[in-house]
Amino acid sequence: MRVVVTGGSGFLGSHLCDALLRRGDQVVCLDNLSTGDPRNVEHLMHDPAFEFMHVDVSVTAEVPGRVDAVAHLASPASPPDYLRQPLETLAVGSRGTENALRLAREKRARFVLASTSEVYGDPLIHPQAESYWGNVNPVGPRSVYDESKRFAEAVSVAYHRTHGVDAGIARIFNTYGPRMRPHDGRVVSSFITQALMGEPLTIYGDGKQTRSFCYVDDLVRGLLALLDSGELGPFNLGNPVEQTVTELAETVLELTGSPSPVEYHPLPVDDPCRRRPVITRAREVLGWTPEVGVEEGLRRTVEWFASRPTELSAAAAAIRGGQDESTPLPAGYLAAVPALRPGEPAAALPERRTEAASEPLSDAPASAAAPF
């Protein structure tokens, strides 16, 4: 197959590109690198089966030639990112999703949407099955991400029902692993970075809120199963093993051997208190279930982070004391890791790439096509 992956240079998108290429598919990666890292796909640039297009899918998602499937992963995904880029997040969830759907319709291709457990909001039902409609604040600070994904699901189903697009929806729960950005503000990357740098681990609230953490290799297997299935869903993809944030912090401190203390900060507005997926549908229909235990997955992730001391040192200032929508990335971090300058073209990428010149829509900033 020839598969288009939007947001393909990001954490999750780049792992999906790797998996598709390993099984013999061709991959076209679309990304504007607003939160992605070009180094995530640098090792693929000389593979004749891989093509990179520097493009904002909120503006255009045109791809010449045959396309058999479109995996739409483009979106800021961590709270600091989407709180700093609210309009871009809404644009990629709406216009970006429609552009990706138009591409799938034009090419008669399979379409898979990377949605999120955030569509459930701060859930009133626990654990969360796909039949739950959610408890989302439509005007809260997190609504730019939550509602963009809810709209993305709605427009995907509308294209399926109206135009016969072969669509599938994955609701992705907390995913972690190598290639996470140390400064992205997500709990696993923050804890590991802080522990390895000897900084205090920042816990929001009392630490009793729960999450369910899925290792990236398992999540990618789920996306591939959905891509190949022809099923609409939605399907919860995540690890149903639930643990508190405090338990996660304790595991990270044990794995790193860090003496870091723990600091507590106020719980962000609308932050969900409990999160655990019901994966019965994915298990029965897709034949998918996670295989990598949390401790093993964290061990692999810690090893990857530890191999990048320069990035960790530069990122420490960005996450010291926690992040919110007003927290800028420090100049020292951008200087130390120039490939991560937000919104800039991939100067570090080798020559095998395609520039897709396009003008942004007048009411949509052109910096939204970031990886999940």
Side-chain angles (χ1 to χ4, degrees):
M1 291 200 304
R2 187 168 186 249
V3 183
V4 171
V5 180
T6 73
S9 74
F11 160 54
L12 184 54
S14 63
H15 282 283
L16 179 59
C17 290
D18 283 342
L20 289 165
L21 290 167
R22 279 196 302 268
R23 73 179 199 173
D25 292 328
Q26 295 177 301
V27 173
V28 182
C29 169
L30 274 56
D31 208 307
N32 76 341
L33 302 173
S34 65
T35 63
D37 186 342
R39 292 169 300 175
N40 287 341
V41 294
E42 188 173 12
H43 64 290
L44 304 177
M45 294 304 294
H46 297 293
D47 187 332
F50 180 80
E51 180 180 357
F52 179 87
M53 296 179 66
H54 186 260
V55 62
D56 183 343
V57 299
S58 299
V59 179
T60 181
E62 297 181 5
V63 175
R66 188 188 89 250
V67 173
D68 301 300
V70 178
H72 182 43
L73 279 67
S75 177
S78 71
D81 283 336
Y82 59 69
L83 291 173
R84 279 191 292 258
Q85 303 181 71
L87 298 180
E88 294 89 337
T89 301
L90 288 164
V92 74
S94 56
R95 282 184 284 267
T97 303
E98 280 212 74
N99 285 337
L101 282 160
R102 291 190 187 105
L103 174 64
R105 182 189 179 196
E106 174 193 345
K107 303 292 186 177
R108 299 183 181 276
R110 170 72 167 158
F111 175 86
V112 167
L113 170 69
S115 186
T116 173
S117 61
E118 294 296 332
V119 300
Y120 299 123
D122 188 4
L124 302 177
I125 293 175
H126 189 80
Q128 296 80 53
E130 293 90 346
S131 57
Y132 179 49
W133 291 356
N135 178 42
V136 174
N137 179 357
V139 294
R142 298 170 70 101
S143 65
V144 296
Y145 184 63
D146 301 355
E147 297 291 14
S148 74
K149 290 296 188 178
R150 288 163 69 94
F151 175 85
E153 289 195 13
V155 74
S156 297
V157 172
Y159 265 73
H160 170 72
R161 292 171 177 161
T162 305
H163 299 303
V165 172
D166 180 16
I169 298 171
R171 290 178 178 167
I172 297 172
F173 283 67
N174 294 70
T175 304
Y176 69 98
R179 300 182 192 164
M180 295 185 81
R181 295 171 302 148
H183 69 278
D184 70 7
R186 285 185 263 200
V187 63
V188 171
S189 53
S190 291
F191 281 0
I192 292 176
T193 299
Q194 291 165 338
L196 290 173
M197 295 304 301
E199 297 277 347
L201 272 61
T202 52
I203 291 180
Y204 297 96
D206 60 10
K208 294 179 181 178
Q209 65 269 36
T210 67
R211 296 293 184 268
S212 301
F213 298 101
C214 187
Y215 188 63
V216 64
D217 290 358
D218 283 335
L219 197 285
V220 167
R221 286 193 303 103
L223 289 177
L224 292 177
L226 179 58
L227 190 72
D228 295 338
S229 71
E231 296 286 342
L232 175 62
F235 291 93
N236 286 340
L237 295 182
N239 190 336
V241 177
E242 182 182 11
Q243 62 180 186
T244 67
V245 171
T246 295
E247 289 171 339
L248 173 69
E250 292 170 349
T251 301
V252 169
L253 290 173
E254 180 180 350
L255 289 173
T256 58
S258 172
S260 294
V262 173
E263 290 182 351
Y264 291 87
H265 295 261
L267 194 67
V269 176
D270 297 329
D271 192 60
C273 293
R274 299 191 73 184
R275 186 64 60 74
R276 177 163 69 91
V278 175
I279 62 169
T280 304
R281 180 180 293 180
R283 184 183 292 116
E284 294 179 351
V285 178
L286 303 179
W288 175 84
T289 188
E291 298 174 354
V292 180
V294 174
E295 186 168 334
E296 173 59 27
L298 287 173
R299 182 178 291 106
R300 298 179 192 178
T301 308
V302 166
E303 290 175 356
W304 187 86
F305 272 68
S307 69
R308 287 154 174 78
T310 302
E311 287 182 46
L312 293 182
S313 178
I319 59 175
R320 184 174 296 128
Q323 284 189 328
D324 58 30
E325 63 270 26
S326 64
T327 306
L329 293 178
Y333 180 64
L334 297 177
V337 193
L340 297 183
R341 292 182 185 272
E344 290 191 0
L349 281 173
E351 294 181 358
R352 264 202 92 254
R353 62 171 181 159
T354 302
E355 293 286 353
S358 57
E359 293 296 325
L361 300 177
S362 59
D363 59 342
S367 58
F372 193 89

